[in-house]
Structure formats: structure tokens, C-alpha cells
């Protein structure tokens, strides 16, 4: 079955994907940090039974301890679970839909961390699916909720809606022109945050950014989502504007085609270089310069070419050099 | 008609081309430096009449003043005339065969500077053709010759045979491994000289070197040619040996394929970058890694992609940026 990212969504020339996450806890159990092995097993089983057959999503249930380390890290690389969840599997479980658009961490920081991912700008539909899952749980189990402060969560920064919605934006124009710093300052005043989706600090790899809501208390889900959507649409417009100016220079066209040539020919390719070059290729596709490569194939590669995902697929611990060779081969085959 | 370089010769995996040059002067005229316009015109006409119809080569006769500056520099870029000959056309003429394998400068430093170029290692056949041309002139005109010091030439370093034979070698292995410096010292002790064929000084562009004889006095043509051939063959063997070691590393295979990818995709390409990348591609073809590109197409590009040759073809003075764009287009079309 195809994964969720093998399709293009709304505003896909800039918006790679949308993600809505909800944190929930069962009223009758302490937070996972205070819960023993038996308690965790009970929570996992309760949620599993509430959801399997109780919702519209086609979910499977996975004990995290049944996965290899590489398989677990690979899930984190694909943003299906948190790195912390991958590194400490004991007592934890995961519910996952076959297309990987829904993933539910059980006994992470909260009892339930559910997320829905869709391609393109799709805040409304991703939220609707997350809300349906939430309702399916709430029909069978009593959730920890307070009239005044909303859903109760382990970390107080999530109180209220306990919802984090985000869009992954490809911003080569705003990034390479240096405008992203000013934008980051502006969006933070509007209760949002923008940061690199891959890599650390100020220069995210591949010009990919996550824009997400910061505030969960004293604001409805609808307001938070419509704020996020408005700002995302504004950033899309700004980005497209900068790109149009930028691509008037033949030097950018040159960079884009060279990047494709390198991806189609390299015999060794590190993950960082792959991400940097595929940013240029993504830009070229989005702006109509490159016709024979699709955004979907790039998104698929971006998910598949991360280090642990390659290890997991090959079912062995490869050296970085071995991975670079396999990555180059897979990228060549996908883009030629 | 195809040019001489559109064919592969002996040892073509290392030897790009062979060139034999002879300097000759007519006994009854002073050297060109001491000759007025009328005298030069007489010399040019005498040699022209001796050769047109008098030799086996299909030559045409061109007054240098009839060419544009770009056309003249283009001839120099393709090593058919000297840069000095191109820059001061007055009183000078050129005889050229249609495939450009024979070119004869009239009233350069000497009355007659004739050269024969062939692809690959072809010292014997190139010399034979040069010798035939020399004989054709000598049958009709009295050449300046002294029993003791041989052919008389304006510059004393050419006295004797007045022959310069050279082979253009592609030496990426010996060059990138740093062995070329030691080799240069060794061949100079053997009466030969090796230097960059393109570019200045110690790092020739594209790893192309000219190996030629230094000594013309007290040595027969046959001995000079057989010395040069022996050393060239030895360098070919050394180069192939280094390449075999070098290409065991996947990093080199990677570089070669990336170079091809860049040449097939770039939208802007300077002459220097083209030469550097095509050195890697030439290496890849010679070593059997690249199958869909031929040495001949690279040699043709190397002749056609020099700056003044592009200007001459487009019949206008282009900026460097305009040339880079045309060069990238032509290279893409030739290699795709």
C-alpha cells in the first residue's frame, strides 16, 4: 500500500505536509512517568481495544519492544514517533495505519499521543481525522479533562486543547534570501513557532521548516487551526514571490539542473547532501523547470533515505560509507 | 568533412593527439622579421604555388588579414596557428587542409612553419606526411640549409632538424597523484620536455600535457622521434597503472559520474570547469566506466568549446556569461 506522502496535496509547491497531534490521558491512571509496567500494559490494552474496530482508520498494534533498534529509529526519522519513544521501548506500544498517515504512541509522555499526517496543506481534514480518533477513545474510556484548563497533560505547556498542529514548509526562497530570520520573529508574536524540520539550529537541512502553534490554553482548536492556516498561506505567497524573482537569474536554473544531474549520477551520497540537493530539485519541480521528476518521488526518497531507515530496510548495521553507496543507488534508480 | 580529431588513434585512452612541426626558410629571402610587405607576399605566393597541386594534401590558402579576430584566435585555440600569428595578421598567410590535420603558417617567425596533427600516438605517420610536404616544397624551391648545422631558422634553438614533435597526453592519474613533477624532471634529462597543454604553470587545466622533443641539433629526425615514442609509451604504461589503483576507490567512480551528470545538466559552464570535468569524463570513458559517451565527442567539444571558437561560430563578440550559457547548451546536447 502506498504511504500517505505518495500524493500531492494543496499548495504542494511549498507545503510538503500537515500534521495534527493530540495528547490525551486516561482519568483513572497516573501519567506514564508514575506508572509501573502492569499499569502501562493496562493502558496500552485499553486504548488498543477502544480503537481496533472502534474507528474508521485501519490500525495495527505494535509492541515497541518487538522492533529492532534500527526499525524504531527509522520510525522516528519518518516523524511517526518521537526520538525519545524510539530510544526507550520498554512498556510502550504504537498504533499505526498502513499508509502511515495515523500513528499513535501509547505511554510516551502522555498515555496517548495521536497524530494524523497528510500531504500538502490539509489542516481541516487532518484535524477532522484526529478528532474522530479522539472521539472513538472518549466513547469507551474516560479521558482526564477539566472544565477550566481543558485536557490534562503531563507537561503544562500542552494543557487546554493539548493540540499541536504543524505544516512542513519548503522555503528555499525565504531561506536562501535570509528573510526567514525576520519571519521567525514575526510568527512568534502571533503565537506560532517556525523551526528547521531536519538538522539543528539556524541552518536547517534542505530548507524544510515546521510551522506550528505554540499556544494551547485559552484558545479553541478552530481558532488555533485558522491562525496557523492563515500564516501558512501568507508564507506560501511570500515564498512563491521570492522564488519568482530568484529564478529570473540563470545561475539558479543552473544550480537546479546540476543538483538533478548529481542526484542522477552520484555513486556516493550522504544524507545531508541528498537533502540539500533534493531541496533544489524540489524547487525546480515546483517552479516547472523539471518535468520528468515528481514531488511525490522526492517525498518518498526523503522518507526512505534517512540513515536508520536504510539500516532497517537492509536489516543490518551498515557503515556510513555503505549507506552512502546504497543511498546513491536508490536515488539514481528513483530519479532516472 | 570531419575534423582529424573525430577519430580515435593508437593508445587513445591516454594519448589524445600527435603533432609534428617543421620550420623551413627559403634561401633567397631574409627571415620574415627582415622582410618588407612585398617580400612577404612573394614568399607566400611561392610556397602556395609549390604546394597547391604539388602535394598529396588537400590544402586551401587563406590570407590572415581576411579573417576576423575571433576566427584567428579560434585557430590558435585549436592549436592550428600560434597565438602570435593570430594577433599580427599583416603579411601572413595560412594553408589549411579541410580536416585541419595539416596547417602551414607562412611568414610567421620562419617563412614556413608546417604541422601535421593526428589523433592518438601516431609519430611515424604524422612525420611521414610532414616530410612529404617538406619534399614538395624542396622540389620547387631552394631551402636554406647548411651541411653542418642543418636547416637554418630564425631562432637558433630550432637549428638542425628544425623539427618539433609532440604528443598530447591525458594524465589524470599521474597528475592527481602528484607524480608528474618527478616525471618532468626525468624527461628533461632525456632531451624532452613536458608541460601543460592548456592553462599556465604547474596545474594545467584538464590534466592535458604536451610531451615534446627539446633537442634539434646533432640528432636525426628518426632518433628524436623514436626517443619521444619510447618515453610516451612508458608514460602511457605508468598512467594506466596509476589509474587502475585509483579507480579501485569508489570515491573516484563517484567523481567521474558526477562530472558527467554536471556536464549533461549545467546551464552555465565556464571553459575551465568544462575542461576539468571533461578530464574526469575522459578518464571514465578510457577506463570503461562510461559507455554512452565517446572520446571523439569529447575531443570535438574540447576543440569547439574554447572562448574565441564560440565567438567565431556565433559571429559576434559575446560576454563570458553568454558564452557560458552557449557552452553549457552545446555540451548538454553533445553528451545527452
Amino acid at each position: 500500500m502506498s504511504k500517505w506522502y505518495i500524493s500531492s496535496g494543496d499548495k504542494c509547491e511549498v507545503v510538503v505536509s500537515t500534521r495534527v497531534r493530540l495528547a490525551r490521558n486516561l482519568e483513572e491512571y497516573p501519567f506514564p512517568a508514575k506508572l509501573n509496567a502492569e499499569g502501562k500494559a493496562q493502558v496500552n490494552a485499553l486504548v488498543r481495544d477502544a480503537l481496533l474496530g472502534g474507528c474508521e482508520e485501519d490500525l495495527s498494534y505494535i509492541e515497541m519492544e518487538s522492533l529492532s533498534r534500527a526499525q524504531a529509529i527509522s520510525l522516528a526519522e519518518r516523524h511517526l514517533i518521537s526520538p525519545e519513544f524510539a530510544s526507550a521501548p520498554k512498556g510502550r506500544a504504537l498504533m499505526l495505519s498502513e499508509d502511515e498517515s495515523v500513528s499513535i504512541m501509547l505511554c510516551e509522555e502522555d498515555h496517548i499521543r495521536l497524530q494524523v499526517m497528510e500531504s500538502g496543506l490539509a489542516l481541516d481534514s487532518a484535524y477532522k481525522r484526529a478528532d474522530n480518533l479522539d472521539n472513538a477513545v472518549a466513547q469507551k474510556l474516560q479521558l482526564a479533562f477539566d472544565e477550566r484548563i481543558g485536557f490534562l497533560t503531563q507537561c503544562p505547556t500542552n494543557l487546554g486543547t493539548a493540540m499541536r498542529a504543524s505544516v512542513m514548509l519548503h522555503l528555499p526562497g525565504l531561506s536562501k534570501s535570509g528573510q526567514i530570520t525576520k519571519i521567525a520573529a514575526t510568527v512568534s508574536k502571533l503565537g506560532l513557532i517556525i523551526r528547521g524540520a531536519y538538522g539543528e539550529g539556524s541552518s536547517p537541512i534542505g530548507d524544510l521548516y515546521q510551522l506550528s502553534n505554540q499556544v494551547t490554553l485559552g484558545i479553541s482548536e478552530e481558532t488555533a487551526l485558522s491562525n496557523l492556516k492563515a500564516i501558512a498561506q501568507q508564507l506560501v505567497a511570500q515564498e512563491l514571490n521570492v522564488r519568482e524573482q530568484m529564478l529570473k537569474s540563470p545561475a539558479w536554473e543552473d544550480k537546479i539542473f546540476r543538483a538533478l544531474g548529481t542526484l542522477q549520477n552520484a555513486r556516493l551520497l550522504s544524507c545531508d547532501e541528498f537533502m540539500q540537493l533534493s531541496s533544489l530539485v524540489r524547487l525546480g519541480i515546483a517552479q516547472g523547470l523539471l518535468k520528468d521528476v515528481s514531488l511525490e518521488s522526492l517525498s518518498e526518497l526523503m522518507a526512505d533515505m534517512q540513515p536508520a531507515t536504510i539500516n532497517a530496510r537492509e536489516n543490518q548495521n551498515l557503515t556510513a560509507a555503505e549507506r552512502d553507496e546504497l543511498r546513491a543507488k536508490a536515488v539514481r534508480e528513483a530519479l532516472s
Side-chain angles (χ1 to χ4, degrees), chain A:
Chain A
M1 189 188 179
S2 305
K3 304 302 180 200
W4 66 268
Y5 42 79
I6 317 296
S7 67
S8 292
D10 189 33
K11 304 271 185 290
C12 65
E13 65 276 27
V14 176
V15 186
V16 178
S17 60
T18 295
R19 175 160 60 159
V20 172
R21 283 175 289 182
L22 301 175
R24 297 292 183 259
N25 288 280
L26 305 188
E27 195 174 54
E28 287 175 28
Y29 288 84
F31 291 134
K34 298 282 182 192
L35 204 55
N36 62 19
E38 198 186 337
K40 287 181 183 172
Q42 287 173 13
V43 167
N44 294 346
L46 284 168
V47 180
R48 179 193 65 200
D49 295 344
L51 284 174
L52 290 182
C55 73
E56 286 170 18
E57 308 286 350
D58 178 28
L59 298 172
S60 57
Y61 177 88
I62 304 156
E63 301 277 359
M64 287 304 290
E65 288 187 274
S66 72
L67 300 179
S68 71
R69 192 172 151 68
Q71 286 172 321
I73 302 176
S74 166
L75 291 169
E77 284 176 347
R78 284 176 285 154
H79 294 159
L80 296 169
I81 62 174
S82 63
E84 299 70 35
F85 196 71
S87 61
K90 206 167 154 53
R92 291 171 159 178
L94 174 69
M95 298 188 75
L96 196 62
S97 68
E98 207 179 341
D99 73 350
E100 297 181 357
S101 64
V102 175
S103 76
I104 304 170
M105 293 185 280
L106 300 179
C107 288
E108 205 241 20
E109 192 179 280
D110 297 298
H111 294 148
I112 305 170
R113 284 278 178 102
L114 72 85
Q115 75 169 24
V116 176
M117 285 174 92
E118 295 196 358
S119 58
L121 183 60
L123 284 162
D124 296 333
S125 78
Y127 174 70
K128 194 165 185 302
R129 288 170 67 194
D131 192 38
N132 287 344
L133 286 161
D134 183 27
N135 292 338
V137 177
Q139 273 195 345
K140 309 236 172 118
L141 303 167
Q142 190 63 42
L143 295 176
F145 183 80
D146 177 275
E147 279 302 326
R148 220 166 37 89
I149 56 173
F151 290 101
L152 302 181
T153 53
Q154 150 96 0
C155 179
T157 59
N158 292 322
L159 291 171
T161 59
M163 179 191 79
R164 299 270 168 211
S166 66
V167 287
M168 192 194 283
L169 302 169
H170 182 230
L171 303 176
L174 296 173
S175 176
K176 295 182 202 297
S177 69
Q179 297 179 49
I180 201 77
T181 319
K182 202 174 146 218
I183 287 167
T186 309
V187 301
S188 81
K189 290 182 197 145
L190 301 166
L192 302 178
I193 188 166
I194 188 164
R195 59 185 148 204
Y198 293 88
E200 305 287 321
S202 59
S203 62
I205 295 165
D207 305 314
L208 291 163
Y209 293 82
Q210 291 279 7
L211 175 73
S212 55
N213 67 316
Q214 273 282 70
V215 183
T216 53
L217 199 56
I219 185 171
S220 70
E221 285 87 351
E222 288 67 28
T223 310
L225 290 168
S226 80
N227 280 352
L228 180 58
K229 193 185 195 174
I231 304 295
Q233 282 170 333
Q234 206 180 313
L235 288 182
V236 169
Q238 274 182 267
E239 167 67 21
L240 291 176
N241 194 24
V242 175
R243 286 186 190 177
E244 203 184 312
Q245 295 305 313
M246 201 164 89
L247 289 178
K248 284 179 184 161
S249 145
W252 275 102
E253 193 185 343
D254 183 52
K255 275 183 215 222
I256 287 167
F257 277 97
R258 282 170 183 246
L260 179 63
T262 302
L263 290 179
Q264 287 176 333
N265 284 280
R267 261 54 189 169
L268 296 173
L269 205 51
S270 73
C271 190
D272 274 16
E273 190 187 8
F274 164 72
M275 295 291 283
Q276 279 151 1
L277 294 173
S278 65
S279 171
L280 287 163
V281 171
R282 184 178 280 276
L283 174 62
I285 300 168
Q287 300 308 109
L289 276 175
L290 303 179
K291 314 275 189 198
D292 301 334
V293 193
S294 67
L295 285 179
E296 295 76 24
S297 59
L298 267 198
S299 293
E300 187 172 11
L301 281 173
M302 206 167 75
D304 290 348
M305 294 298 105
Q306 304 295 321
T309 304
I310 294 178
N311 277 347
R313 197 184 48 201
E314 300 290 321
N315 203 18
Q316 55 180 311
N317 265 320
L318 302 161
T319 63
E322 288 167 334
R323 277 199 306 274
D324 288 355
E325 211 171 317
L326 287 172
R327 186 180 292 111
K329 186 160 183 281
V331 170
R332 269 198 324 273
E333 286 167 1
L335 297 185
S336 288

Coordinates of all heavy atoms in Angstrom, one line a residue, chain A residues 19 28 59 64 69 73 109 114 123 156 175 177 191 197 205 259 268 300 317 325 336:
Chain A
R19 N 0.5 18.1 9.8 CA 0.4 17.2 10.9 C -0.4 17.7 12.1 O -0.2 18.9 12.4 CB 1.8 16.8 11.4 CG 1.9 15.9 12.6 CD 3.2 15.3 12.7 NE 4.3 16.2 12.8 CZ 5.5 15.9 13.3 NH1 5.8 14.6 13.8 NH2 6.5 16.8 13.4
E28 N -8.3 7.5 35.0 CA -8.1 6.6 36.1 C -6.7 6.1 36.3 O -6.4 5.3 37.2 CB -9.0 5.3 35.9 CG -10.5 5.7 36.2 CD -11.4 4.6 35.9 OE1 -11.0 3.4 36.1 OE2 -12.6 4.8 35.6
L59 N -5.9 0.4 11.7 CA -4.7 0.5 12.5 C -4.2 -0.9 12.9 O -4.9 -1.9 13.0 CB -5.0 1.2 13.8 CG -5.5 2.7 13.6 CD1 -6.0 3.2 15.0 CD2 -4.4 3.5 13.1
M64 N 6.5 -1.9 21.2 CA 7.8 -1.3 20.7 C 9.0 -2.2 21.0 O 10.0 -2.2 20.2 CB 8.0 0.1 21.4 CG 7.2 1.2 20.9 SD 7.3 1.5 19.1 CE 9.0 2.2 19.0
R69 N 16.3 -1.9 17.0 CA 16.6 -0.5 17.2 C 16.6 0.3 15.9 O 16.1 1.4 15.9 CB 18.1 -0.5 17.8 CG 18.4 0.9 18.4 CD 19.7 0.9 19.1 NE 20.4 2.2 19.0 CZ 19.9 3.3 19.6 NH1 18.8 3.2 20.3 NH2 20.5 4.4 19.4
I73 N 14.3 3.6 15.2 CA 14.8 4.9 14.8 C 14.3 5.3 13.5 O 14.0 6.5 13.2 CB 16.4 4.9 14.8 CG1 16.9 4.5 16.2 CG2 16.9 6.2 14.5 CD1 18.4 4.3 16.3
E109 N 5.1 10.4 26.8 CA 5.0 11.3 27.9 C 3.5 11.3 28.5 O 3.3 11.3 29.7 CB 5.3 12.7 27.5 CG 5.5 13.7 28.6 CD 5.9 15.1 28.0 OE1 7.1 15.2 27.7 OE2 5.0 15.9 27.9
L114 N -1.6 11.0 19.7 CA -2.0 10.5 18.4 C -1.7 11.6 17.4 O -1.8 12.8 17.7 CB -3.5 10.1 18.4 CG -4.6 11.2 18.5 CD1 -5.0 11.7 17.1 CD2 -5.9 10.5 19.1
L123 N -5.0 21.2 7.0 CA -5.2 21.3 8.4 C -6.6 20.8 8.8 O -6.8 20.1 9.8 CB -5.0 22.7 8.9 CG -3.5 23.1 9.0 CD1 -3.4 24.6 9.0 CD2 -2.9 22.5 10.2
P156 N 2.7 20.9 31.4 CA 1.7 22.0 31.5 C 1.7 22.8 30.2 O 0.6 23.5 29.9 CB 2.2 22.9 32.7 CG 3.6 22.5 33.0 CD 3.8 21.1 32.5
S175 N 14.6 31.2 2.8 CA 15.8 30.7 3.5 C 17.0 31.3 2.9 O 17.9 31.9 3.5 CB 15.8 29.2 3.5 OG 17.0 28.7 4.1
S177 N 17.4 33.7 0.8 CA 17.5 35.2 0.7 C 17.6 35.8 2.1 O 17.7 37.0 2.3 CB 16.2 35.7 0.1 OG 15.1 35.5 0.9
G191 N 1.8 33.8 18.2 CA 1.5 32.5 18.9 C 2.0 31.3 18.1 O 1.5 30.2 18.5
A197 N 13.0 21.6 10.1 CA 12.3 20.2 10.3 C 13.4 19.1 10.3 O 13.2 18.1 10.9 CB 11.4 20.0 9.1
I205 N 18.6 21.6 7.3 CA 19.0 20.9 6.1 C 17.8 20.9 5.1 O 16.7 20.5 5.5 CB 19.5 19.5 6.5 CG1 20.7 19.6 7.3 CG2 19.8 18.7 5.2 CD1 21.1 18.4 8.1
A259 N 22.0 20.0 -9.6 CA 21.6 19.2 -8.5 C 21.0 17.9 -9.0 O 21.3 16.8 -8.5 CB 20.6 20.0 -7.6
L268 N 28.1 7.9 -4.5 CA 28.2 8.1 -3.0 C 27.4 9.3 -2.7 O 27.6 10.4 -3.3 CB 29.6 8.2 -2.5 CG 30.6 7.1 -2.8 CD1 32.0 7.5 -2.4 CD2 30.2 5.9 -2.0
E300 N 9.0 10.6 -1.2 CA 9.2 9.2 -0.9 C 10.7 8.9 -0.6 O 11.0 8.3 0.4 CB 8.8 8.3 -2.1 CG 8.8 6.8 -1.7 CD 8.2 5.9 -2.8 OE1 7.9 6.4 -3.9 OE2 8.0 4.7 -2.5
N317 N 23.4 -3.4 10.4 CA 24.1 -2.2 10.7 C 25.1 -1.8 9.7 O 26.2 -2.4 9.8 CB 24.6 -2.2 12.2 CG 23.7 -1.7 13.2 OD1 23.0 -0.7 12.9 ND2 23.6 -2.3 14.3
E325 N 26.6 4.5 -0.4 CA 26.6 3.8 -1.7 C 25.1 3.4 -2.0 O 24.6 3.5 -3.1 CB 27.5 2.7 -1.6 CG 28.2 2.3 -2.9 CD 29.3 1.3 -2.8 OE1 30.1 1.4 -1.8 OE2 29.3 0.4 -3.6
S336 N 16.0 8.4 -12.3 CA 16.5 8.3 -13.7 C 15.4 7.9 -14.7 O 14.4 7.4 -14.3 CB 17.6 7.3 -13.8 OG 18.8 7.8 -13.2

